[in-house]
Amino acid sequence: QSDAYAGYNTLAKPGRQPAPVVSAGCWAHGRRGLFKIAEKDKAPLAIEAVGRIDTIFEAERTINGTPPEHRLAVRQTDIAPLVDDLFDWMRECCRRMSTKNPVAHAMNYFLRRADTFTRFLTDGRICLTNNAAERALRGIALGRKAWLFAGSDRGGERAAAMYSLIVTARLNDVDPQAWLADVLARINDIPNPRLHELLPWHWKAHQQVHNTIAA
């Protein structure tokens, strides 16, 4: 799930191996263009478009965190009609505007990618936006100048590997500092076939068992 950056297009090509990636549009990115016009120029159509999109966001909030099956059922009955109405209305608006009109341009961001923007309606696992992924990457973006001091390509690769492990620990509700300290203290004594035991999700399970026994 992403914005419309062209660099992602090759991931969805039919001949990609081992298989094409299924692309889903991010509604936050789509809304942003219309919101800027509504806020700056007070364009009535942009304001209405943002209102219609916000209604979809509000409906989606009621099912955030629920199982995919439930999300899919609610989307098909309650949210799909809102999306269909929005796209029909946008198409009608664009027929009456010049393609150079900023509002038409912002609406066409959705219309040209209707298949990706409606994909969440057929798969309960897909979110309405990729905001969670962007929040996870914010630390990398804020530290981009620091990464210039990796020293070499190899140093950069090692830093990326460490960052991936730290984020993986966080995703598994593991304290990265505690995990790294324990792993670094034990790794020399563990044979290669058992190194997977030190991965955050295995480490967490081991710690839980150990704490239970100790208690």
Side-chain angles (χ1 to χ4, degrees):
Q1 188 167 31
S2 67
D3 58 13
Y5 172 56
Y8 301 134
N9 292 346
T10 56
L11 298 175
K13 286 186 175 179
R16 181 183 181 273
Q17 296 298 325
V21 170
V22 176
S23 178
C26 171
W27 280 73
H29 280 94
R31 178 186 180 278
R32 195 169 299 155
L34 289 160
F35 180 79
K36 287 179 179 178
I37 299 171
E39 185 177 46
K40 181 181 177 182
D41 301 329
K42 310 300 180 185
L45 288 178
I47 293 171
E48 183 172 352
V50 171
R52 287 171 177 258
I53 294 171
D54 285 350
T55 300
I56 294 170
F57 272 80
E58 289 170 9
E60 184 70 16
R61 286 191 195 100
T62 65
I63 56 174
N64 282 346
T66 61
E69 297 79 10
H70 177 254
R71 293 169 72 178
L72 180 59
V74 173
R75 285 170 176 173
Q76 290 180 340
T77 57
D78 299 343
I79 301 178
L82 298 174
V83 174
D84 290 341
D85 287 346
L86 172 68
F87 276 78
D88 289 342
W89 175 77
M90 282 185 172
R91 291 187 187 97
E92 181 59 31
C93 289
C94 287
R95 278 194 285 268
R96 295 186 276 109
M97 287 188 287
S98 165
T99 56
K100 295 181 180 180
N101 185 304
V103 177
H105 181 76
M107 288 183 176
N108 277 318
Y109 183 92
F110 280 97
L111 297 176
R112 287 196 300 268
R113 304 170 182 86
D115 58 334
T116 64
F117 276 108
T118 57
R119 189 148 286 138
F120 81 103
L121 297 173
T122 59
D123 191 331
R125 298 170 299 173
I126 299 174
C127 295
L128 195 62
T129 75
N130 68 339
N131 286 345
E134 293 208 346
R135 284 194 296 269
L137 286 169
R138 187 169 296 160
I140 297 175
L142 292 174
R144 60 166 61 95
K145 290 185 178 179
W147 314 138
L148 298 175
F149 296 95
S152 65
D153 288 349
R154 188 175 181 185
E157 290 170 358
R158 288 179 174 176
M162 287 302 300
Y163 198 95
S164 297
L165 289 169
I166 290 169
V167 173
T168 300
R170 288 174 177 166
L171 288 172
N172 285 271
D173 295 323
V174 171
D175 178 356
Q177 186 173 357
W179 170 70
L180 276 172
D182 184 61
V183 167
L184 292 174
R186 295 168 50 205
I187 194 167
N188 284 338
D189 299 323
I190 294 183
N192 285 345
R194 293 180 53 200
L195 285 177
H196 66 278
E197 296 176 10
L198 299 179
L199 291 169
W201 50 92
H202 292 309
W203 184 87
K204 179 181 179 181
H206 178 269
Q207 291 297 109
Q208 289 172 338
V209 171
H210 178 75
N211 291 338
T212 300
I213 294 173

